[in-house]
Amino acid sequence: MTRFPVLLLFIALTGTIKHFGQGTEFYKEEITFAIRDNFLYVNGIYFLKSDKSLEIPLIYPFPSDSLYGPVDSIIIINQTTNQAIENWRTMKSGIVFSLHLDSLLSTELWISYRQQLKGRQAEYILLSTKAWQKPLSEANYRLLVPIDLKILQFSIQPDTMTIHGDTKLYYWRMKKYFPDRNMIFTF
């Protein structure tokens, strides 16, 4: 399991959120995970807002452990402006990029990637939320797996599980959520 003190987007190069002002918030996320063919697929929408217009550096961490292979197929789109963000740089355990926030407007950021799984475990970093020093007002997670893939252990128990054809769907819905662990699926 990774010890990189971080999920999600977070303060990269400049220290703490206080640098951006008390009015800058990461307040909601909607993430869909899928496990298939020895890969973890992640599609996330992240909601941020600010009380002033500014450009902020963000780190998006990936788990780095011998259980996980490289991350590829990275796509970042500012859905509010419908523009791809292509100025990201790879770091040892994630990527770093800049995001422009407009005053008083919510910014929806879509990030998608896949990560090779070398073992029988997948992980998504949630602990980076602590860098914002405030819980998410809402977080929704979905995990899609083939019907014959048995999840042996969840680090966070899902609220529900349903079956749709040949796919199992696990679902989590959190309110005022301040993660105390990463999302880990052992299968």
Short mmCIF file of all heavy atoms in Angstrom, two decimals, residues 74-107:
data_model
loop_
_atom_site.label_atom_id
_atom_site.label_comp_id
_atom_site.label_asym_id
_atom_site.label_seq_id
_atom_site.Cartn_x
_atom_site.Cartn_y
_atom_site.Cartn_z
N ILE A 74 -3.95 9.32 -19.93
CA ILE A 74 -4.39 10.44 -19.10
C ILE A 74 -5.07 11.50 -19.96
O ILE A 74 -4.53 11.94 -20.97
CB ILE A 74 -3.20 11.07 -18.35
CG1 ILE A 74 -2.54 10.04 -17.44
CG2 ILE A 74 -3.63 12.31 -17.56
CD1 ILE A 74 -1.20 10.47 -16.88
N ILE A 75 -6.27 11.88 -19.54
CA ILE A 75 -7.01 12.95 -20.20
C ILE A 75 -7.49 13.90 -19.11
O ILE A 75 -8.05 13.46 -18.10
CB ILE A 75 -8.23 12.41 -20.98
CG1 ILE A 75 -7.79 11.42 -22.06
CG2 ILE A 75 -9.04 13.56 -21.57
CD1 ILE A 75 -8.94 10.67 -22.69
N ILE A 76 -7.27 15.20 -19.31
CA ILE A 76 -7.74 16.22 -18.37
C ILE A 76 -8.50 17.27 -19.18
O ILE A 76 -7.95 17.85 -20.11
CB ILE A 76 -6.57 16.90 -17.62
CG1 ILE A 76 -5.69 15.85 -16.93
CG2 ILE A 76 -7.11 17.90 -16.60
CD1 ILE A 76 -4.41 16.42 -16.35
N ILE A 77 -9.74 17.51 -18.79
CA ILE A 77 -10.56 18.49 -19.50
C ILE A 77 -11.27 19.39 -18.48
O ILE A 77 -11.89 18.91 -17.54
CB ILE A 77 -11.61 17.81 -20.40
CG1 ILE A 77 -10.90 17.01 -21.49
CG2 ILE A 77 -12.57 18.84 -21.01
CD1 ILE A 77 -11.81 16.21 -22.39
N ASN A 78 -11.14 20.68 -18.69
CA ASN A 78 -11.92 21.65 -17.93
C ASN A 78 -13.30 21.65 -18.59
O ASN A 78 -13.47 22.21 -19.67
CB ASN A 78 -11.28 23.03 -17.97
CG ASN A 78 -12.06 24.06 -17.18
OD1 ASN A 78 -13.27 23.95 -17.02
ND2 ASN A 78 -11.36 25.07 -16.70
N GLN A 79 -14.26 20.98 -17.98
CA GLN A 79 -15.59 20.86 -18.58
C GLN A 79 -16.36 22.18 -18.57
O GLN A 79 -17.26 22.37 -19.36
CB GLN A 79 -16.40 19.77 -17.87
CG GLN A 79 -15.88 18.40 -18.13
CD GLN A 79 -16.81 17.30 -17.69
OE1 GLN A 79 -16.87 16.28 -18.32
NE2 GLN A 79 -17.55 17.47 -16.61
N THR A 80 -15.98 23.08 -17.70
CA THR A 80 -16.65 24.38 -17.63
C THR A 80 -16.33 25.20 -18.88
O THR A 80 -17.20 25.86 -19.43
CB THR A 80 -16.23 25.13 -16.36
OG1 THR A 80 -16.51 24.29 -15.23
CG2 THR A 80 -16.97 26.45 -16.21
N THR A 81 -15.09 25.13 -19.35
CA THR A 81 -14.67 25.88 -20.54
C THR A 81 -14.60 24.97 -21.77
O THR A 81 -14.33 25.46 -22.87
CB THR A 81 -13.30 26.53 -20.33
OG1 THR A 81 -12.32 25.49 -20.12
CG2 THR A 81 -13.32 27.50 -19.17
N ASN A 82 -14.79 23.67 -21.58
CA ASN A 82 -14.70 22.68 -22.65
C ASN A 82 -13.32 22.70 -23.32
O ASN A 82 -13.21 22.58 -24.54
CB ASN A 82 -15.81 22.88 -23.68
CG ASN A 82 -16.05 21.61 -24.49
OD1 ASN A 82 -15.81 20.50 -24.02
ND2 ASN A 82 -16.50 21.77 -25.72
N GLN A 83 -12.28 22.84 -22.50
CA GLN A 83 -10.91 22.88 -23.02
C GLN A 83 -10.06 21.80 -22.38
O GLN A 83 -10.12 21.59 -21.16
CB GLN A 83 -10.28 24.24 -22.75
CG GLN A 83 -10.93 25.37 -23.51
CD GLN A 83 -10.24 26.70 -23.26
OE1 GLN A 83 -9.58 26.90 -22.24
NE2 GLN A 83 -10.40 27.62 -24.18
N ALA A 84 -9.28 21.13 -23.22
CA ALA A 84 -8.33 20.14 -22.72
C ALA A 84 -7.19 20.86 -22.00
O ALA A 84 -6.77 21.94 -22.41
CB ALA A 84 -7.78 19.31 -23.87
N ILE A 85 -6.72 20.25 -20.94
CA ILE A 85 -5.54 20.76 -20.22
C ILE A 85 -4.39 19.84 -20.61
O ILE A 85 -4.39 18.66 -20.29
CB ILE A 85 -5.78 20.75 -18.70
CG1 ILE A 85 -6.89 21.75 -18.36
CG2 ILE A 85 -4.48 21.09 -17.95
CD1 ILE A 85 -7.30 21.75 -16.91
N GLU A 86 -3.47 20.41 -21.33
CA GLU A 86 -2.37 19.61 -21.86
C GLU A 86 -1.02 20.00 -21.27
O GLU A 86 -0.01 19.45 -21.64
CB GLU A 86 -2.34 19.73 -23.38
CG GLU A 86 -3.63 19.18 -24.00
CD GLU A 86 -3.73 19.40 -25.49
OE1 GLU A 86 -2.95 20.21 -26.04
OE2 GLU A 86 -4.60 18.77 -26.11
N ASN A 87 -1.03 20.94 -20.32
CA ASN A 87 0.22 21.42 -19.74
C ASN A 87 0.65 20.61 -18.52
O ASN A 87 1.42 21.09 -17.70
CB ASN A 87 0.10 22.90 -19.37
CG ASN A 87 -0.90 23.14 -18.24
OD1 ASN A 87 -1.76 22.30 -17.96
ND2 ASN A 87 -0.80 24.29 -17.59
N TRP A 88 0.17 19.36 -18.38
CA TRP A 88 0.52 18.57 -17.21
C TRP A 88 1.91 17.96 -17.39
O TRP A 88 2.36 17.70 -18.49
CB TRP A 88 -0.54 17.52 -16.89
CG TRP A 88 -0.90 16.60 -18.03
CD1 TRP A 88 -1.85 16.79 -18.97
CD2 TRP A 88 -0.31 15.33 -18.31
NE1 TRP A 88 -1.90 15.73 -19.82
CE2 TRP A 88 -0.96 14.81 -19.44
CE3 TRP A 88 0.71 14.58 -17.73
CZ2 TRP A 88 -0.64 13.59 -20.01
CZ3 TRP A 88 1.04 13.36 -18.29
CH2 TRP A 88 0.37 12.87 -19.41
N ARG A 89 2.54 17.76 -16.24
CA ARG A 89 3.86 17.12 -16.19
C ARG A 89 3.80 15.92 -15.28
O ARG A 89 3.13 15.93 -14.25
CB ARG A 89 4.92 18.10 -15.66
CG ARG A 89 5.19 19.26 -16.55
CD ARG A 89 6.35 20.13 -16.07
NE ARG A 89 6.72 20.00 -14.67
CZ ARG A 89 6.36 20.82 -13.70
NH1 ARG A 89 5.59 21.84 -13.95
NH2 ARG A 89 6.76 20.62 -12.47
N THR A 90 4.54 14.90 -15.64
CA THR A 90 4.60 13.69 -14.84
C THR A 90 5.61 13.88 -13.71
O THR A 90 6.70 14.42 -13.92
CB THR A 90 5.03 12.49 -15.71
OG1 THR A 90 4.10 12.36 -16.77
CG2 THR A 90 5.05 11.20 -14.91
N MET A 91 5.21 13.44 -12.52
CA MET A 91 6.09 13.39 -11.37
C MET A 91 6.24 11.94 -10.98
O MET A 91 5.62 11.06 -11.57
CB MET A 91 5.49 14.18 -10.20
CG MET A 91 5.23 15.63 -10.50
SD MET A 91 4.42 16.52 -9.15
CE MET A 91 4.25 15.37 -7.85
N LYS A 92 6.99 11.67 -9.94
CA LYS A 92 7.22 10.29 -9.51
C LYS A 92 5.92 9.57 -9.17
O LYS A 92 5.72 8.43 -9.56
CB LYS A 92 8.17 10.26 -8.31
CG LYS A 92 8.49 8.86 -7.85
CD LYS A 92 9.47 8.84 -6.70
CE LYS A 92 9.72 7.40 -6.29
NZ LYS A 92 10.63 7.31 -5.18
N SER A 93 5.03 10.22 -8.47
CA SER A 93 3.79 9.56 -8.01
C SER A 93 2.54 10.31 -8.44
O SER A 93 1.55 10.35 -7.71
CB SER A 93 3.81 9.40 -6.50
OG SER A 93 4.86 8.56 -6.10
N GLY A 94 2.57 10.93 -9.61
CA GLY A 94 1.38 11.62 -10.06
C GLY A 94 1.70 12.59 -11.18
O GLY A 94 2.74 12.50 -11.82
N ILE A 95 0.77 13.51 -11.38
CA ILE A 95 0.97 14.56 -12.37
C ILE A 95 0.71 15.91 -11.70
O ILE A 95 0.01 15.99 -10.69
CB ILE A 95 0.04 14.39 -13.59
CG1 ILE A 95 -1.43 14.33 -13.18
CG2 ILE A 95 0.44 13.16 -14.40
CD1 ILE A 95 -2.41 14.29 -14.34
N VAL A 96 1.26 16.95 -12.28
CA VAL A 96 1.05 18.30 -11.80
C VAL A 96 0.63 19.16 -12.99
O VAL A 96 1.11 18.97 -14.11
CB VAL A 96 2.31 18.87 -11.10
CG1 VAL A 96 3.49 18.98 -12.04
CG2 VAL A 96 2.02 20.21 -10.45
N PHE A 97 -0.31 20.06 -12.76
CA PHE A 97 -0.79 20.93 -13.82
C PHE A 97 -1.39 22.19 -13.20
O PHE A 97 -1.59 22.27 -11.99
CB PHE A 97 -1.83 20.22 -14.70
CG PHE A 97 -3.04 19.74 -13.95
CD1 PHE A 97 -4.19 20.51 -13.89
CD2 PHE A 97 -3.03 18.49 -13.32
CE1 PHE A 97 -5.31 20.05 -13.20
CE2 PHE A 97 -4.15 18.04 -12.64
CZ PHE A 97 -5.29 18.81 -12.57
N SER A 98 -1.68 23.17 -14.05
CA SER A 98 -2.30 24.42 -13.61
C SER A 98 -3.76 24.43 -14.04
O SER A 98 -4.10 23.94 -15.10
CB SER A 98 -1.60 25.62 -14.23
OG SER A 98 -0.29 25.72 -13.73
N LEU A 99 -4.59 25.03 -13.20
CA LEU A 99 -6.02 25.16 -13.49
C LEU A 99 -6.44 26.60 -13.22
O LEU A 99 -6.13 27.14 -12.16
CB LEU A 99 -6.83 24.21 -12.62
CG LEU A 99 -8.35 24.28 -12.79
CD1 LEU A 99 -8.76 23.80 -14.18
CD2 LEU A 99 -9.04 23.45 -11.71
N HIS A 100 -7.15 27.18 -14.17
CA HIS A 100 -7.68 28.53 -13.98
C HIS A 100 -9.08 28.43 -13.37
O HIS A 100 -9.93 27.70 -13.86
CB HIS A 100 -7.76 29.29 -15.31
CG HIS A 100 -8.31 30.66 -15.14
ND1 HIS A 100 -7.55 31.71 -14.65
CD2 HIS A 100 -9.55 31.16 -15.33
CE1 HIS A 100 -8.30 32.79 -14.58
NE2 HIS A 100 -9.53 32.48 -14.99
N LEU A 101 -9.29 29.15 -12.28
CA LEU A 101 -10.61 29.24 -11.64
C LEU A 101 -11.13 30.65 -11.85
O LEU A 101 -10.40 31.63 -11.65
CB LEU A 101 -10.51 28.94 -10.14
CG LEU A 101 -10.00 27.56 -9.75
CD1 LEU A 101 -9.87 27.44 -8.24
CD2 LEU A 101 -10.91 26.47 -10.29
N ASP A 102 -12.40 30.75 -12.24
CA ASP A 102 -13.04 32.06 -12.40
C ASP A 102 -13.78 32.42 -11.13
O ASP A 102 -14.37 31.56 -10.47
CB ASP A 102 -14.02 32.05 -13.57
CG ASP A 102 -13.30 32.12 -14.90
OD1 ASP A 102 -12.34 32.89 -15.02
OD2 ASP A 102 -13.71 31.37 -15.83
N SER A 103 -13.78 33.68 -10.82
CA SER A 103 -14.43 34.18 -9.62
C SER A 103 -15.90 33.79 -9.57
O SER A 103 -16.64 34.00 -10.52
CB SER A 103 -14.30 35.71 -9.58
OG SER A 103 -15.00 36.23 -8.48
N LEU A 104 -16.28 33.20 -8.45
CA LEU A 104 -17.67 32.85 -8.12
C LEU A 104 -18.30 31.81 -9.03
O LEU A 104 -19.49 31.53 -8.92
CB LEU A 104 -18.54 34.11 -8.08
CG LEU A 104 -18.06 35.20 -7.13
CD1 LEU A 104 -18.93 36.43 -7.26
CD2 LEU A 104 -18.00 34.72 -5.69
N LEU A 105 -17.54 31.19 -9.92
CA LEU A 105 -18.07 30.13 -10.78
C LEU A 105 -17.51 28.79 -10.35
O LEU A 105 -16.35 28.67 -9.97
CB LEU A 105 -17.70 30.38 -12.25
CG LEU A 105 -18.30 31.60 -12.92
CD1 LEU A 105 -17.75 31.73 -14.33
CD2 LEU A 105 -19.81 31.51 -12.94
N SER A 106 -18.33 27.77 -10.44
CA SER A 106 -17.86 26.42 -10.17
C SER A 106 -17.12 25.93 -11.41
O SER A 106 -17.55 26.16 -12.54
CB SER A 106 -19.04 25.51 -9.88
OG SER A 106 -18.61 24.19 -9.68
N THR A 107 -15.99 25.27 -11.19
CA THR A 107 -15.23 24.67 -12.28
C THR A 107 -15.34 23.16 -12.15
O THR A 107 -15.08 22.61 -11.09
CB THR A 107 -13.75 25.10 -12.22
OG1 THR A 107 -13.68 26.52 -12.37
CG2 THR A 107 -12.93 24.43 -13.30
#
